[in-house]
Amino acid sequence: GTQAQTFEQMTAAAITGLKPEQVQIHTTFLGGGFGRRAVPSSDWVNEAVHVAKAAAAPVKTVWTREDDVRGGYYRPAFLHRVRVALGDDGLPAAWDHAMVGQSIMTGTPFEASFAKTGVDPSSVEGVADSPYLKAIANHRVQLHDYRAPVPVLWWRSVGHSHTAFVMESMIDELARASGVDPVAYRRRLLADQPRHLGVLNLAAEKAGWGSPLPEGRARGVAVHESFGSFVAQVAEVSVEGGRIRVHRVVCAIDCGIAVNPKTIEAQMESGIAFGLGAALSSAITFKDGRVQQSNFDDYRVLRLPDMPKVEVHIVPSRERPGGVGEPGTPPIAPAVANAVAALTGQRLREMPLRLRA
């Protein structure tokens, strides 16, 4: 499958000497692209066309899993430093937020779109446009673009995949520092944001926020806007054998007019599974310029026994439709981290989430 037919068509044409209109792309159902199949360099198509041209025959080119893990494009590593001053009312009075990370647009045809400002919007989305910051007169957001030889590109939910984790973890910390329930604290901060508030209230209600849980379990909450949709999630977790176990996730989404509710539900479930794998276990590390992982034995994705029960609730809306393929991913990591903090007192500020002994 492919997410970028035009790039592939142009790549094949350049290699074969054909005109682009002479190259036919057969688009299959993706199953899962997550950004890896929208690469401007069309690396795997480039390779396949070169092989077929050299062989002067149709050739099926297949990467091994090891090829894929070690020769891919990766979500850029980001470091956030946040300093917040609380007012007498317990609400943020000043917010200073600095980020360091690689731009996914550098070196692509899309780089020109932000050349005038020098800021890649996908690096700061979810922070620079956060409703929390809009309500704080004294706030500053800084981006330090770090250049590294690691090939990076989009990853499901793009910049929101790390900014939501930081923002919603921080809001939870502020709530606890103020001695206020995390849902009640968000309600105060989002009082003039009806769509954020709508999903927050729905998720909290359906999850039974504030009601007793079995011993050894706790709930955490997160709410985030991305791709024109608003999503809140409540995660119920425990710690088993030193590992975080997520038992239940209640998700509420306002994506505007719900054209196909079953598709929305399925996309929320898959976005939660995708994000939960990254939150709990999936990690790519480098040593001496090489990726250390190779397959699913050392790059662990979420497995069936790890999958929680997921409940999806759709807010009735007449607003314009927003996205559903990506917005389910950003809130899950902070919801889980916030639940772990409530359960253990440990504030985990790094992904994958690792409990301290």
Side-chain angles (χ1 to χ4, degrees), residues 294-316:
S294 61
N295 209 313
F296 291 142
D297 59 330
D298 52 10
Y299 179 76
R300 186 181 174 92
V301 297
L302 199 73
R303 302 181 182 182
L304 284 175
D306 305 320
M307 184 64 188
K309 177 184 178 182
V310 176
E311 304 165 29
V312 179
H313 303 277
I314 302 170
V315 174

Side-chain angles (χ1 to χ4, degrees), residues 257-283:
I257 296 173
V259 177
N260 188 331
K262 286 296 183 182
T263 293
I264 297 168
E265 183 178 353
Q267 286 296 319
M268 291 302 103
E269 291 170 348
S270 77
I272 288 167
F274 189 87
L276 193 56
L280 296 181
S281 58
S282 302

Side-chain angles (χ1 to χ4, degrees), residues 312-342:
V312 179
H313 303 277
I314 302 170
V315 174
S317 175
R318 300 301 300 173
E319 298 286 345
R320 61 185 292 181
V324 296
E326 306 194 70
T329 297
I332 186 61
V336 171
N338 293 338
V340 170

Side-chain angles (χ1 to χ4, degrees), residues 33-72:
F34 313 119
R36 178 61 181 96
R37 300 179 188 179
V39 183
S41 66
S42 304
D43 57 335
W44 77 95
V45 173
N46 187 311
E47 181 180 30
V49 175
H50 271 298
V51 172
K53 182 180 178 182
V59 175
K60 181 177 181 178
T61 304
V62 181
W63 285 24
T64 64
R65 180 64 62 191
E66 287 76 11
D67 289 337
D68 196 31
V69 171
R70 290 176 170 165

Side-chain angles (χ1 to χ4, degrees), residues 79-83 96-100 140-144:
L79 173 70
H80 292 243
R81 182 187 180 191
V82 186
R83 297 184 299 172
D96 187 18
H97 198 133
M99 290 174 278
V100 180
R140 178 175 64 174
V141 177
Q142 303 175 66
L143 172 66
H144 302 275

